[in-house]
Amino acid sequence: MSTRSRLMLNKVPEVTVYFWIIKILCTTVGESFADFVNATLGFGLTDTTVVFSAALIAVLTVQFRLDRYVPGVYWLAVVLISVVGTLLTDILTDGMGVPLWASTTVFSLLLAVVFGTWYARERTLSIHTIATRPREAFYWLTVLVTFALGTAVGDWTLELTGWSPGAAVMLPAGLLLAVLLAWKLGAGPVLSFWLAYILTRPLGANIGDYLASPRTEGGLGLGTFGTSALFLATILAVVVFLTKTQKDRTEVAAALPGD
């Protein structure tokens, strides 16, 4: 392992309440901002995907060059990856006519392959040891697939149930509480983390739909722009707070087996 890899600190934040707050905010932005640029501004699925994919590649390039967790860069990458993950599912569903059950199946299998490959190579799926380039690459690939999968699962659930935006929030919220309870009762922390990570995607998307949908459809009528602006401002405020206080920073260097 190179000297640079030896000196890298964990590249992801500590999993605190702030982590989950920003994660849910990011997933809401992924839903509302993608819809705003795609539909309201009229960019279309293809152009919107190209623009945000290019922005994501640029930010991830900066992220990979860092040797530690930097809140602004990390969470900007999560915001962009939430948008791209949403758009990937939208392209399959709206652009190519792929049924949501099929998208859910494909992304579930892809996630299983990514996890299997990651574990076979690194012997861990823990986010507390994202301190080498390969582990960071696996981490971000997993995050992208979980966003796409969460979008497909959330949209499929709405398709099957026909629930209003407000009622749709309750299912992923309830499942998240079940995961929290299972973790408290002794379930594996790594499995619990990734289940919660996936479930926050439909939760955030449903919150976004609820806020953006017209009142006549059971929403609050903020629109996709208003919802995106509100949540982006909140994300920025929390990220500035974390940058100043460093409450979610892990400063344990990567002393990995075999170093």
Side-chain angles (χ1 to χ4, degrees):
M1 185 178 295
S2 67
T3 301
R4 181 174 177 79
S5 294
R6 287 179 183 274
L7 295 178
M8 282 176 60
L9 302 178
N10 194 31
K11 297 289 291 294
V12 303
E14 185 63 54
V15 182
T16 65
V17 65
Y18 301 107
F19 178 95
W20 294 114
I21 289 172
I22 304 181
K23 172 60 167 60
I24 294 172
L25 293 172
C26 288
T27 60
T28 303
V29 168
E31 180 76 11
S32 59
F33 200 45
D35 289 344
F36 173 69
V37 176
N38 172 32
T40 306
L41 295 184
F43 272 49
L45 275 175
T46 300
D47 289 345
T48 303
T49 304
V50 169
V51 168
F52 280 101
S53 296
L56 175 60
I57 291 171
V59 173
L60 283 180
T61 299
V62 176
Q63 167 69 22
F64 272 84
R65 288 180 176 176
L66 297 172
D67 64 359
R68 68 188 63 214
Y69 162 65
V70 176
V73 177
Y74 175 88
W75 287 111
L76 179 57
V78 175
V79 169
L80 291 171
I81 215 166
S82 72
V83 176
V84 173
T86 299
L87 290 169
L88 290 177
T89 300
D90 288 346
I91 286 175
L92 290 176
T93 304
D94 301 331
M96 303 175 65
V98 176
L100 286 167
W101 68 264
S103 298
T104 299
T105 302
V106 169
F107 286 127
S108 296
L109 293 174
L110 181 57
L111 183 61
V113 170
V114 174
F115 273 142
T117 306
W118 182 358
Y119 187 79
R121 176 187 170 98
E122 303 294 334
R123 311 309 299 177
T124 180
L125 300 177
S126 172
I127 68 162
H128 297 293
T129 57
I130 308 300
T132 66
R133 294 289 182 261
R135 290 186 181 186
E136 189 173 13
F138 279 121
Y139 173 78
W140 286 111
L141 179 58
T142 302
V143 170
L144 176 60
V145 178
T146 61
F147 271 111
L149 174 60
T151 302
V153 170
D155 290 349
W156 188 26
T157 301
L158 293 179
E159 182 180 79
L160 291 173
T161 63
W163 287 339
S164 67
V169 173
M170 303 308 295
L171 178 59
L175 292 174
L176 275 170
L177 288 176
V179 171
L180 175 61
L181 178 61
W183 173 66
K184 290 288 188 180
L185 294 175
V190 174
L191 175 62
S192 298
F193 170 82
W194 285 114
L195 285 175
Y197 204 94
I198 293 170
L199 287 169
T200 52
R201 177 61 187 87
L203 175 63
N206 292 346
I207 291 173
D209 286 340
Y210 175 62
L211 294 173
S213 296
R215 295 181 182 274
T216 55
E217 297 179 7
L220 292 184
L222 294 182
T224 53
F225 175 76
T227 302
S228 299
L230 173 64
F231 278 65
L232 283 171
T234 307
I235 291 170
L236 178 60
V238 179
V239 169
V240 169
F241 169 77
L242 293 175
T243 300
K244 290 182 176 296
T245 63
Q246 300 187 2
K247 285 183 175 293
D248 65 340
R249 188 178 299 278
T250 56
E251 295 294 353
V252 179
L256 303 176
D259 281 8

